[in-house]
Amino acid sequence: MWAVLLLAVVLAFAVVRPRGLPEAAAAVPAAAIAVGGGLVSWAAARDEMIMLGPTVGFLAAILALAHLADAWGVFGFAGALAARAARGSPTRLLTVVFGIAAAVTAVLSLDATVVLLTPVVFATAAAAGVRARPQVYACTHLANAGSLLLPVANLTNLLAFSATGLTFLGFAGTMALPWLAVLAVEYAVFRWFFAGDLATPARPQPVAPSPAPRFALVVLALTLAGFAAAEPMGVAPAWVAAGGAVVLAVPLVARASAKGRTARDIALSTNPLFCFFVFGLGVVVLALRRNGLDDLIAALTPSSADLLGLLTVAALAALLANIVNNVPATLVLVPVVAHTPGLVLAALIGVNIGPNLTYVGSLATLLWRRILHARDEPPSTSAFLRLGAISVPACLLAAVVALWVALKLSTVL
Amino acid sequence: MKVVVWLAEGTWQACVDAAAEVAPPSASITLLHVTDPALASDVSDAYAGLVGRGSGTRDPGRALDAEAAHAAEAMLAAAAARLDRASSPQQRRGRLEREVVSAAEGADLLVVARDGPVTRLGPRSLNPPTRFVVDHAPCAVLLVWPTAPPPVDTIPPPPPHKAAPPHKAAPPPPPHHR
């Protein structure tokens, strides 16, 4: 019971963030209480943190890599590329943004799409005289739903990756079909949902040519290839990402007039407090799992990876992600279904696509932010909620069926 | 005479041109742009949904807000230049349809552009906010096409169950006299 209370406090703190304190301010003490109070042994907590270590290290490195790519102008270049390819057509701009958002999410993780790509896409649409709603919502939706392809695309994938027993390329190969299915469903939903905005004509504006940041693009491509190549040699992807980040960082710092400040910005972009939060959350969830949650979840989840089993796990994962947020949902679900890799992948489909339903991560966050917004501004329209209500069930279904087909194919081949 | 011109992305040029054509020289022209903060706040919410990421300094919603303000300024300046006569800019924030209707209070004419598909004459040549404005405007409304209007034969045929009886059917089209 105490473990439930601890997790509730950690998650509530992360939602409310009193006085703007970082989430780790509650998660780390809660983890200490869980260990000190005997809810989980120190040895188990230490093992959990050792297990989370490479994941958290990778997270820090990929956050820095995205920040550096931005500093090198990669996102500005992507915006210019989109504007040129769109030639003044809102529909073509949506198509190009879909491609760019899916690629950025897959390679640089969903944080990069939400934080760095979305404002660029808005500015691109505005400069092109296009109503930006469809393209902006596409970025936020694909940050979640488009993160199925690579293990590096989402923190949830990283947390579950070792449980799948797949290699980097094996993961990508199995998830390629679900990923494409989700992109196709999202695209169809967007074309229909935003038909009005997309039909509004725009006048093609001249787009200034922008040079490609070749060096940064080459480093990113090599880093991506490195993820796949280094793994058979036993090198964790965190080291590859860190290597890419260093190669991008050194020339920037050397060139900068305020070297200290540039270096500090890069160091801060790894978001160390977030990393502590993940450690703390991992221990608190472990305490909860040890005190009955594992048995409860095991009773709810099917044991075989047939189509019904995959659907059940994905739906349960999506539901859990909307109740407690997708990172704790992953920590709770994956160990229970780890006996069957197919079910782990189905759980990932649920926790990655599911958040688009309440879009702020969880019901509690949604309610809390509505309360906050009601104070200063009239409540905004619920376009996001309606969009999620339509796209999430369709995407879940399409992705699970595609996963089922991919799993069948992999046993046949 | 007070004329309010609602400027929206993609269609504002047509509104400015129409205002320049119909407003007498003595008219006072207001160029209106409304920003709906819902988009930026939804993006903020999506960022908040990424649990554990911490402080709001990286909040993309704020970046979006700044970009939106910048884009609105640019549009108002471009519209004033295109109009090429005295006008006053007005910026508002809120639900588009509500703000436009309230900005039109006391005006004699509101200039609005259609913003649906431009390849056929309706139905649905107005997106919901524009439809609301046309429905609720407290003054005369000038509704302009953002591009050359499509030909009349693009109207879909009436549904069969509502077709007029044969003796009331429209006469065959008269021969062209061009």
Side-chain angles (χ1 to χ4, degrees):
Chain A
M1 208 60 241
W2 288 107
V4 176
L5 191 67
L6 275 181
L7 182 64
V9 168
V10 170
L11 293 178
F13 193 93
V15 170
V16 176
R17 306 223 12 255
R19 299 174 183 220
L21 283 168
E23 294 86 342
V28 172
I33 292 172
V35 174
L39 289 170
V40 60
S41 71
W42 165 241
R46 194 191 53 203
D47 288 349
E48 176 76 9
M49 285 195 280
I50 289 173
M51 198 199 75
L52 287 174
T55 299
V56 172
F58 179 84
L59 184 69
I62 202 82
L63 288 171
L65 198 63
H67 169 83
L68 289 160
D70 186 38
W72 277 91
V74 168
F75 292 95
F77 171 69
L81 197 70
R84 249 201 325 277
R87 300 194 303 278
S89 153
T91 308
R92 271 198 298 269
L93 184 60
L94 179 71
T95 311
V96 182
V97 165
F98 253 71
I100 292 176
V104 167
T105 305
V107 178
L108 289 174
S109 91
L110 81 170
D111 284 69
T113 302
V114 173
V115 176
L116 302 171
L117 185 64
T118 308
V120 170
V121 162
F122 178 84
T124 301
V130 170
R131 306 196 170 176
R133 264 183 0 137
Q135 290 81 12
V136 166
Y137 283 131
C139 286
T140 55
H141 254 232
L142 290 189
N144 287 318
S147 66
L148 295 174
L149 182 64
L150 298 183
V152 301
N154 200 324
L155 177 55
T156 54
N157 296 1
L158 287 169
L159 291 170
F161 181 44
S162 63
T164 64
L166 293 166
T167 62
F168 189 91
L169 288 177
F171 185 98
T174 313
M175 290 301 248
L177 214 51
W179 181 67
L180 289 173
V182 165
L183 292 184
V185 170
E186 285 277 9
Y187 187 74
V189 169
F190 268 69
R191 285 292 296 268
W192 171 76
F193 192 88
F194 291 109
D197 282 327
L198 293 172
T200 306
R203 302 178 181 218
Q205 308 285 324
V207 182
S210 78
R214 290 223 183 97
F215 176 69
L217 290 175
V218 167
V219 172
L220 288 179
L222 288 177
T223 308
L224 182 62
F227 291 147
E231 193 197 32
M233 293 184 270
V235 180
W239 293 111
V240 180
V246 168
V247 173
L248 285 181
V250 168
L252 274 186
V253 175
R255 263 199 325 226
S257 49
K259 291 187 174 34
R261 201 178 148 189
T262 310
R264 202 197 59 191
D265 282 351
I266 294 170
L268 282 180
S269 72
T270 61
N271 206 341
L273 287 170
F274 180 29
C275 299
F276 282 116
F277 171 74
V278 175
F279 277 128
L281 185 66
V283 173
V284 172
V285 169
L286 182 67
L288 189 57
R289 281 174 41 209
R290 287 291 164 88
N291 289 280
L293 188 68
D294 268 357
D295 301 336
L296 178 69
I297 299 285
L300 287 174
T301 48
S303 53
S304 71
D306 52 8
L307 186 56
L308 189 67
L310 295 175
L311 272 173
T312 311
V313 170
L316 183 68
L319 184 72
L320 213 54
N322 279 295
I323 296 173
V324 295
N325 233 308
N326 63 355
V327 173
T330 310
L331 290 170
V332 165
L333 259 180
V334 166
V336 181
V337 295
H339 51 77
T340 313
L343 293 179
V344 177
L345 296 176
L348 281 181
I349 286 175
V351 293
N352 289 351
I353 296 173
N356 278 342
L357 197 58
T358 48
Y359 77 88
V360 289
S362 70
L363 276 177
T365 325
L366 184 67
L367 294 175
W368 175 248
R369 291 192 64 93
R370 291 284 130 156
I371 294 167
L372 281 188
H373 282 308
R375 227 183 271 160
D376 43 62
E377 274 162 359
S380 53
T381 53
S382 56
F384 221 152
L385 284 175
R386 280 183 290 128
L387 188 60
I390 296 162
S391 81
V392 167
C395 282
L396 278 176
L397 189 64
V400 169
V401 171
L403 173 66
W404 181 71
V405 171
L407 290 171
K408 281 268 178 243
L409 283 177
S410 69
T411 52
V412 169
L413 293 176
Chain B
M1 184 183 189
K2 276 182 69 179
V3 179
V4 175
V5 185
W6 178 24
L7 309 173
E9 291 75 10
T11 57
W12 62 267
Q13 294 91 340
C15 295
V16 169
D17 295 352
E21 214 173 293
V22 304
S26 61
S28 78
I29 300 182
T30 302
L31 300 174
L32 168 72
H33 182 271
V34 185
T35 302
D36 190 342
L39 186 61
S41 104
D42 277 353
V43 169
S44 282
D45 287 355
Y47 176 64
L50 305 178
V51 68
R53 265 59 161 199
S55 66
T57 51
R58 284 154 45 91
D59 182 352
R62 288 192 200 172
L64 211 80
D65 244 342
E67 291 284 358
H70 174 78
E73 291 283 348
M75 187 192 293
L76 284 169
R82 188 180 179 103
L83 185 64
D84 200 21
R85 58 189 267 192
S87 66
S88 52
Q90 188 181 3
Q91 281 207 51
R92 286 173 169 247
R93 276 171 68 84
R95 294 277 289 268
L96 299 180
E97 58 271 32
R98 302 273 167 184
E99 293 301 321
V100 173
V101 168
S102 112
E105 192 179 12
D108 300 294
L109 179 66
L110 173 66
V111 184
V112 178
R114 292 178 190 274
D115 52 6
V118 291
T119 51
R120 54 174 160 62
L121 291 174
R124 303 278 158 88
S125 68
L126 305 176
N127 281 335
T130 310
R131 179 164 295 277
F132 182 98
V133 168
V134 172
D135 253 357
H136 298 79
C139 62
V141 175
L142 177 57
L143 186 60
V144 301
W145 278 92
T147 56
V152 173
D153 61 13
T154 57
I155 299 181
H161 64 278
K162 280 186 183 168
H167 65 276
K168 279 189 182 172
H176 279 282
H177 294 291
R178 284 201 186 166

